[in-house]
């Protein structure tokens, strides 16, 4: 990895966009361990280059939370890797990409990467991770169909990723986004995560907060694992629905308990999920 400029950058983010700093902070904490579940040197470097009181704002990172964030990223990584094995020259459209460093973890030398984010988030990303070559960026709300037109322009298969995003949209907006993807990316897919309903309700009530820091923003949309089959009704183009399992991590919780939750009936519907939708080919 080429060493970037040591100049520190002030993020200037509030509300939902500020959550990208918390995610980065936790991912970097896990990556700095001697035995990380996710190898991510770029995340460590980014934290060093941002002028932000991470500890004062979010408390100390690490432990189960940091590993959970890293394992979520790893689950998305595995879906992207499988897509690139099938379509090495494909397009990955990363919605709400924030300061995610997935491109550098997975670059096969051929993938084309489109980062889609709000202007304030994208300004910070471009100050730290300037686009270039096979990496492009578009300042655009995920609910604005312009990004889909841009992603589909190459005519190559597209995988859309939405990590830590959909819970901040209203239910009709989530359905509209899925339908947009199904109609725009024939033969492609969408991978997203969802929080369970109890978690979203607690966030809306202001009951969830980072240690020593602010309450998490309100979450308008949630989905349990039992609701996955209903995604077929969103659009006829939704051809396949796949549950993406939690990768096995380290320790008793993430090494043994969490992977087993996929088989534990009602409990399974009360934990965060990752889902892959595959879209029908054009006929």
């Amino acid at each position: 990895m080429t060493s970037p400029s040591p100049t520190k950058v002030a993020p200037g983010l509030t509300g939902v966009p500020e959550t990208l700093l918390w995610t980065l902070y936790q991912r970097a904490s896990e990556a700095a361990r001697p035995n990380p579940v996710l190898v991510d040197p770029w995340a460590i470097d980014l934290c060093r280059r941002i002028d932000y009181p991470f500890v004062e704002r979010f408390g100390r990172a690490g432990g189960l939370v940091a590993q959970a964030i890293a394992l979520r990223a790893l689950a998305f990584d595995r879906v992207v890797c499988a897509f690139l094995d099938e379509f090495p020259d494909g397009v990955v459209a990363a919605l709400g990409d924030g300061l995610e460093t997935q491109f550098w973890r997975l670059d096969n030398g051929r993938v084309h990467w489109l980062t889609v984010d709000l202007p304030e988030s994208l300004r910070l990303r471009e100050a730290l991770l300037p686009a270039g070559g096979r990496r492009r960026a578009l300042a655009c709300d995920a609910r604005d169909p312009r990004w889909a037109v841009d992603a589909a322009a190459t005519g190559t298969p597209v995988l859309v990723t939405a990590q830590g995003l959909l819970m901040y949209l209203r239910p009709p907006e989530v359905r509209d986004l899925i339908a947009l993807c199904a109609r725009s990316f024939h033969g492609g897919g969408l991978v997203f995560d969802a929080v369970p309903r109890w978690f979203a309700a607690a966030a809306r009530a202001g009951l969830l907060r980072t240690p020593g820091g602010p309450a998490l923003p309100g979450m308008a949309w949630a989905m349990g694992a039992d609701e996955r089959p209903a995604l077929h009704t969103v659009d006829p183009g939704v051809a396949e629905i796949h549950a993406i399992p939690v990768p096995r991590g380290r320790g008793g919780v993430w090494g043994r308990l969490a992977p087993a939750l996929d088989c534990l009936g009602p409990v399974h519907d009360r934990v965060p999920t990752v889902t892959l939708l595959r879209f029908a080919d054009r006929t």
Side-chain angles (χ1 to χ4, degrees):
M1 180 177 68
T2 302
S3 178
S5 166
T7 303
K8 288 206 169 191
V9 176
L13 300 177
T14 59
V16 173
E18 190 179 17
T19 62
L20 70 85
L21 297 171
W22 180 78
T23 303
L24 171 70
Y25 179 48
Q26 298 292 343
R27 206 169 69 244
S29 174
E30 174 63 27
R33 292 180 58 93
N35 58 338
V37 298
L38 184 75
V39 177
D40 197 349
W42 275 91
I44 299 171
D45 185 74
L46 285 173
C47 276
R48 292 172 179 159
R49 297 171 57 208
I50 296 174
D51 184 9
Y52 186 83
F54 285 100
V55 176
E56 293 83 353
R57 187 70 169 156
F58 299 138
R60 293 202 172 275
L64 294 175
V65 173
Q67 191 178 172
I69 294 298
L71 288 172
R72 181 183 72 172
L74 182 59
F76 275 75
D77 281 5
R78 290 179 177 179
V79 173
V80 175
C81 282
F83 171 75
L84 294 180
D85 284 344
E86 187 176 1
F87 306 109
D89 298 297
V91 174
V92 174
L95 305 184
D97 213 8
L99 291 178
E100 174 59 69
T101 53
Q102 192 175 54
F103 173 84
W104 290 271
R105 296 197 302 268
L106 307 181
D107 183 22
N108 64 354
R110 297 165 62 178
V111 62
H112 293 267
W113 202 275
L114 176 64
T115 287
V116 180
D117 217 327
L118 297 174
E120 59 268 38
S121 300
L122 197 57
R123 279 194 294 270
L124 176 61
R125 181 179 178 90
E126 293 193 318
L128 296 161
L129 299 167
R134 290 174 287 107
R135 291 180 291 111
R136 296 184 298 112
L138 179 64
C140 183
D141 192 298
R143 295 165 291 191
D144 186 330
R146 287 182 301 137
W147 70 264
V149 174
D150 191 296
T154 63
T156 55
V158 176
L159 174 68
V160 181
T161 69
Q163 186 175 174
L165 173 66
L166 298 193
M167 60 282 295
Y168 298 115
L169 305 183
R170 294 183 294 110
E173 293 170 337
V174 174
R175 292 181 65 89
D176 288 347
L177 179 60
I178 293 173
L180 173 66
C181 292
R183 296 166 189 171
S184 302
F185 308 125
H186 302 284
L190 164 67
V191 57
F192 63 90
D193 61 320
V195 298
R197 294 191 177 278
W198 70 265
F199 190 95
R204 289 195 296 271
L207 301 178
L208 302 179
R209 61 179 58 248
T210 58
L216 296 181
M219 298 179 182
W221 180 76
M223 185 190 79
D226 60 329
E227 299 173 90
R228 279 194 181 107
L231 295 173
H232 275 299
T233 68
V234 173
D235 189 272
V238 177
E240 301 173 17
I241 302 173
H242 300 276
I244 305 302
V246 176
R248 187 172 295 277
R250 180 184 60 251
V253 173
W254 292 115
R256 293 189 295 274
L257 178 60
L261 293 178
D262 285 333
C263 308
L264 291 182
V267 177
H268 182 41
D269 298 326
R270 297 183 62 80
V271 298
T273 57
V274 179
T275 301
L276 169 65
L277 304 182
R278 293 294 302 262
F279 304 129
D281 287 317
R282 182 181 281 107
T283 57

